[in-house]
């Protein structure tokens, strides 16, 4: 099987967000593979191991994303592709990224494309379905289980707590939800091997795309932090008194019950 | 600038979800005196139209077909695109729900449009519609505009206030017949996993448990508290990883981001990833044995104590409040 994984480099979930001059400060922050994309990488490796074939991880971003691609190779992916847009695009959006990924995937004859259902930074969850639409293949989002049998695929997806069982056929794009699997840590031999695995770097020119073709349809005009929450009132006294006071505060002061 | 706005009404188990009415309010704001057209898609949905009129829709279009009994991206996109092609709206609003999240990017792609997802606030400024949305799971926010093509947004449930219901507003529902074909994904079965009726992302009250809940059984008192408050139960990653509950309940940077009116955190320490998912709740109550727990820093009210003592007492106290009220 010819499997592709769409991967994004994101801030570590431990990071606090600091804003300076209207943008988020990245200096000194730790970066990781977007956690939902990590499930996608793990699932891709498992499917390849049972069905045979090859896993290629693809990221659209800057030079630094090479590190996350190497991590995916160390987990067991076979090849990586970095589409480096640093020099060409200043303000992209989900339209931009999807268009670039779809252009890259066009003609690659992917059987299965996996991605995270959402990135924990931008949080839009658009890129997977958009890429599937541009490639004119079906997609299933927020999956928690996938079984591939020849060209037919059986999926379980999470729908706000309910599970839907869905049947579809390859080629297909799916996006991973938590619970799909437990991503492995790269092993030491895996890390050694990853250094020798192919990591190709492309730019817009290589995909025959101009900046105009991928120009964003939306624009961010301001980024700000939520108002800092003041620590509230820790109640005192006997527990039963505290409970009575709490209910009365929720009822008459906060008016939420 | 008056705009024509399409809003997708969403039904579940035969009733409209609240986010549909929130969507009409959002659409009306964007329309700036233009027109709000609500769309219903399903097997038999036109019976729900009057309620959409009551909440402010100027027109209701229903697309009904056997093949639309279950949501699928192919079926629903064919239906909504037919309405869009007919009405040529300036703007489109969906709920940021399971179906909305799944469908909107495909429709945006078909239209070659941008899409602003998970919007919590809408303002109009001059010629622009400005959308506010959380990024980094609520650790920060951004303001965003559409700069080309159709304006398109999905709105997060529970953040935009519906217009007051006016039962005297009624209208004729227009049925649009669309040929629904070539569905490439087929829903074979739907298993209701959620313990109770109220969905986490729409719940006004959430009672969440962490590692302090200690076991699957430990969630029972939390469920009782949620029940008396008409709310839903959620969990921290710690509780999910320890298999006390299902991952679908997880709140945090991975998991759901929620903004209920009242969030009661029981036995949750308050890791930064969890806080990202809930700290924009209107009122936060923390119940924890450890007075140093981080959760108290974002709580409006805190009780230092054992949740297994406090929660049952809370249930009784709220019951008696309800009886007296």
């Amino acid at each position: 099987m010819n499997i592709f994984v769409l991967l994004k480099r994101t801030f570590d979930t431990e990071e606090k967000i600091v804003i300076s001059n209207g943008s988020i400060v990245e200096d000194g922050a730790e970066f990781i593979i977007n956690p939902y994309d990590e499930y996608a990488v793990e699932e891709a490796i498992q499917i390849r191991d049972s069905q045979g074939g090859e896993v290629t991880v693809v990221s659209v971003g800057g030079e630094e994303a090479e590190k996350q691609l190497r991590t995916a190779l160390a987990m067991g992916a076979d090849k990586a592709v970095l589409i480096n847009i640093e020099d060409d695009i200043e303000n992209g959006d989900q339209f931009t990224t999807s268009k670039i990924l779809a252009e890259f995937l066009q003609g690659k004859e992917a059987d299965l494309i996996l991605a995270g259902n959402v990135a924990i930074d931008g949080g839009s969850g658009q890129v997977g379905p958009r890429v599937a639409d541009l490639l004119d293949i079906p997609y299933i989002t927020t999956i928690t289980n996938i079984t591939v049998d020849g060209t037919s695929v059986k999926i379980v997806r999470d729908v706000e707590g309910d599970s839907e069982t869905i049947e579809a056929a390859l080629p297909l794009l799916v996006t991973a939800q938590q619970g799909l699997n437990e991503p492995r840590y790269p092993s030491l031999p895996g890390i050694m091997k990853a250094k020798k695995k192919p990591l190709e770097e492309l730019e817009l020119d290589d995909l025959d795309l101009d900046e105009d073709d991928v120009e964003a349809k939306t624009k961010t005009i301001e980024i700000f932090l939520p108002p800092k929450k003041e620590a509230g009132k820790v109640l005192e006294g006997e527990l039963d008194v505290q409970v009575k006071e709490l209910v009365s505060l929720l009822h008459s002061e906060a008016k939420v019950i | 600038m008056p705009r024509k706005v399409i809003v997708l009404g969403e039904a579940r188990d035969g009733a409209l979800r609240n986010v549909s009415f929130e969507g009409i309010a959002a659409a009306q704001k964007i329309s700036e005196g233009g027109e709000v057209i609500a769309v219903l898609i399903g097997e038999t949905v036109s019976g729900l139209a009057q309620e959409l009129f009551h909440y402010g829709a100027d027109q209701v279009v229903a697309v009904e077909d056997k093949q639309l009994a279950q949501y699928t991206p192919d079926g629903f996109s064919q239906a909504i695109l037919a309405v869009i092609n007919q009405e040529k709206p300036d703007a489109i609003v969906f709920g940021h729900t399971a179906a909305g999240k799944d469908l909107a990017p495909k429709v945006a792609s078909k239209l070659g449009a941008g899409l602003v997802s998970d919007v919590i606030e809408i303002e109009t400024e001059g010629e622009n519609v400005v959308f506010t949305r959380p990024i980094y799971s609520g650790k920060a926010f951004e303001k965003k505009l559409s700069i080309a093509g159709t304006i398109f947004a999905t709105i997060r449930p529970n953040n935009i206030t519906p217009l007051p219901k006016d039962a005297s507003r009624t209208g004729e529902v227009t049925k649009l017949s669309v040929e629904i074909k070539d569905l490439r994904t087929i829903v074979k079965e739907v298993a209701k996993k959620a313990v109770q009726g109220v969905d986490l992302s729409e719940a006004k009250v959430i009672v969440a448990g962490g590692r302090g809940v200690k076991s699957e059984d430990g969630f029972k008192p939390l469920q009782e508290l949620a029940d008396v408050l008409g709310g839903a139960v959620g969990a921290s990653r710690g509780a999910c990883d320890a298999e006390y509950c299902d991952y679908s309940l997880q709140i945090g940077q991975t998991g759901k981001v929620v903004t209920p009116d009242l969030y009661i955190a029981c036995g949750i320490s308050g890791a930064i990833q969890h806080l990202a998912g809930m700290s924009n709740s209107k009122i936060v109550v923390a119940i924890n044995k450890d007075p140093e727990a981080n959760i108290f820093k974002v709580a409006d009210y805190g009780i230092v104590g054992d949740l297994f003592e406090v929660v049952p007492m809370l249930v009784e106290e709220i019951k008696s409040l309800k009886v007296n009220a």
Side-chain angles (χ1 to χ4, degrees):
Chain A
M1 270 179 79
N2 191 14
I3 306 171
F4 286 83
V5 180
L6 315 180
L7 178 153
K8 188 178 187 185
R9 165 186 185 261
T10 59
F11 262 53
D12 192 315
T13 56
E14 297 277 347
E15 293 291 339
K16 285 210 168 74
I17 302 297
V18 179
I19 293 172
S20 168
N21 294 325
S23 53
I24 289 171
V25 179
E26 296 199 350
D27 296 348
E30 289 289 325
F31 285 84
I32 55 171
I33 297 175
N34 173 43
Y36 293 102
D37 301 349
E38 216 176 359
Y39 300 125
V41 174
E42 175 64 36
E43 201 62 27
I45 294 167
Q46 290 185 19
I47 293 170
R48 178 207 57 200
D49 288 350
S50 70
Q51 310 273 324
E54 191 176 72
V55 174
T56 306
V57 284
V58 191
S59 192
V60 174
E63 198 68 53
E64 302 90 353
E66 193 180 322
K67 192 174 164 205
Q68 282 68 38
L69 288 170
R70 288 281 175 211
T71 304
L73 292 173
M75 286 170 75
D78 302 291
K79 297 198 299 195
V81 177
L82 171 63
I83 306 172
N84 191 337
I85 56 166
E86 244 166 1
D87 297 337
D88 294 322
I89 292 165
E90 206 174 329
N91 296 305
D93 67 358
Q94 297 82 11
F95 171 84
T96 311
T97 309
S98 314
K99 189 103 184 181
I100 293 169
L101 283 168
E103 199 61 37
F104 167 76
L105 289 161
Q106 203 71 256
K108 293 280 189 296
E109 294 186 352
D111 296 304
L112 183 64
I113 303 171
L114 297 102
N117 85 77
V118 69
I120 58 164
D121 48 7
S124 80
Q126 293 182 27
V127 171
R130 276 182 181 270
V131 168
D133 182 67
L134 291 167
L135 295 173
D136 198 20
I137 61 171
Y139 64 88
I140 301 170
T141 58
T142 60
I143 72 163
T144 55
N145 196 282
I146 173 168
T147 321
V148 182
D149 181 8
T151 58
S152 56
V153 186
K154 196 172 168 187
I155 301 265
V156 179
R157 71 181 287 251
D158 165 51
V159 185
E160 293 169 353
D162 297 345
S163 344
E164 271 181 13
T165 304
I166 296 183
E167 287 178 6
L170 298 177
L172 176 70
L173 183 146
V174 296
T175 70
Q177 174 67 305
Q178 190 167 31
L180 179 60
N181 55 43
E182 197 60 55
R184 70 193 70 188
Y185 288 103
S187 65
L188 194 57
I191 294 168
M192 299 310 290
K193 266 194 235 164
K195 290 180 180 160
K196 293 191 183 127
K197 287 181 179 171
L199 193 155
E200 187 186 4
E201 194 173 321
L202 300 173
E203 293 191 21
L204 283 194
D205 274 353
D206 302 309
L207 298 173
D208 282 327
L209 283 173
D210 283 334
E211 285 108 276
D212 294 351
D213 300 328
V214 298
E215 201 174 358
K217 305 284 184 187
T218 58
K219 181 176 157 192
T220 298
I221 52 169
E222 191 187 338
I223 294 177
F224 60 98
L225 295 177
K228 206 169 156 47
K229 192 141 191 178
E230 299 285 320
K233 193 184 222 172
V234 174
L235 307 177
E236 284 172 3
E238 293 296 319
L239 268 191
D240 58 336
V241 178
Q242 290 191 37
V243 167
K244 277 194 167 46
E245 188 184 352
L246 175 64
V247 171
S248 137
L249 284 166
L250 291 177
H251 182 64
S252 17
E253 187 178 276
K255 298 190 183 351
V256 285
I257 61 170
Chain B
M1 186 170 81
R3 299 181 180 87
K4 190 186 224 185
V5 188
I6 277 187
V7 55
L8 180 63
E10 227 187 287
R12 182 200 269 165
D13 303 327
L16 284 166
R17 296 177 67 171
N18 212 31
V19 70
S20 311
F21 312 132
E22 296 165 3
I24 294 174
Q28 204 212 36
K29 182 134 199 189
I30 296 167
S31 80
E32 296 192 82
E35 190 182 18
V36 175
I37 303 169
V39 181
L40 289 166
I41 299 173
E43 190 176 6
T44 42
V45 284
S46 47
L48 301 167
Q50 291 313 318
E51 215 179 349
L52 295 170
F53 285 116
H54 296 342
Y55 277 97
D58 298 310
Q59 263 196 67
V60 179
V61 179
V63 183
E64 297 182 317
D65 191 291
K66 253 204 181 104
Q67 299 218 63
L68 298 170
Q70 296 276 7
Y71 168 79
T72 60
D74 285 336
F76 271 52
S77 62
Q78 289 167 28
I80 192 82
L81 283 163
V83 181
I84 291 167
N85 287 335
Q86 177 179 283
E87 299 293 341
K88 310 222 168 3
D90 304 300
I92 305 168
V93 176
F94 290 181
H96 198 65
T97 56
K101 276 188 249 190
D102 191 83
L103 180 63
K106 183 181 175 80
V107 174
S109 176
K110 282 266 181 281
L111 299 173
L115 170 63
V116 185
S117 312
D118 201 13
V119 167
I120 58 166
E121 205 181 313
I122 299 167
E123 298 151 285
T124 49
E125 277 174 20
E127 290 289 280
N128 289 324
V129 181
V130 182
F131 297 103
T132 302
R133 63 185 298 273
I135 49 175
Y136 298 87
S137 313
K139 288 178 182 171
F141 293 85
E142 65 175 353
K143 290 193 176 198
K144 233 172 162 174
L145 320 167
S146 277
I147 48 174
T150 314
I151 299 171
F152 196 169
T154 58
I155 58 157
R156 177 183 291 198
N158 224 358
N159 280 266
I160 292 163
T161 314
L163 305 168
K165 184 175 179 173
D166 176 358
S168 68
R169 280 186 104 258
T170 55
E172 283 286 312
V173 53
T174 316
K175 291 197 186 184
L176 182 66
S177 148
V178 182
E179 191 196 349
I180 304 298
K181 53 179 186 186
D182 305 332
L183 301 188
R184 296 172 296 180
T185 59
I186 307 293
V187 181
K188 287 288 175 186
E189 195 189 326
V190 182
K192 301 265 175 197
K193 190 161 43 177
V195 210
Q196 76 298 334
V198 188
D199 181 66
L200 260 188
S201 56
E202 277 187 295
K204 298 270 184 207
V205 177
I206 292 174
V207 182
R211 278 197 184 273
V213 171
K214 289 189 187 138
S215 68
E216 205 179 328
D217 271 353
F219 268 95
K220 281 185 185 155
L222 274 58
Q223 183 67 53
E224 279 177 40
L225 181 55
D227 288 345
V228 293
L229 291 167
V233 168
S236 72
R237 175 161 198 167
C240 296
D241 282 349
E243 297 184 355
Y244 302 160
C245 63
D246 194 84
Y247 277 114
S248 61
L249 300 187
Q250 185 172 320
I251 292 163
Q253 191 151 10
T254 48
K256 296 196 165 64
V257 176
V258 295
T259 46
D261 293 344
L262 174 60
Y263 189 91
I264 306 181
C266 309
I268 291 177
S269 60
I272 183 168
Q273 295 91 335
H274 185 74
L275 301 187
M278 49 63 71
S279 56
N280 295 307
S281 304
K282 281 177 201 108
I283 296 289
V284 175
V285 172
I287 301 165
N288 203 301
K289 274 201 279 201
D290 175 11
E292 302 297 319
N294 229 353
I295 191 79
F296 287 114
K297 291 188 186 144
V298 298
D300 299 277
Y301 307 109
I303 290 185
V304 179
D306 182 352
L307 74 95
F308 292 108
E309 285 183 60
V310 177
V311 172
M313 286 161 88
L314 261 176
V315 171
E316 290 314 312
E317 192 59 31
I318 291 163
K319 275 187 189 161
S320 70
L321 174 84
K322 300 222 154 159
V323 169
N324 296 332

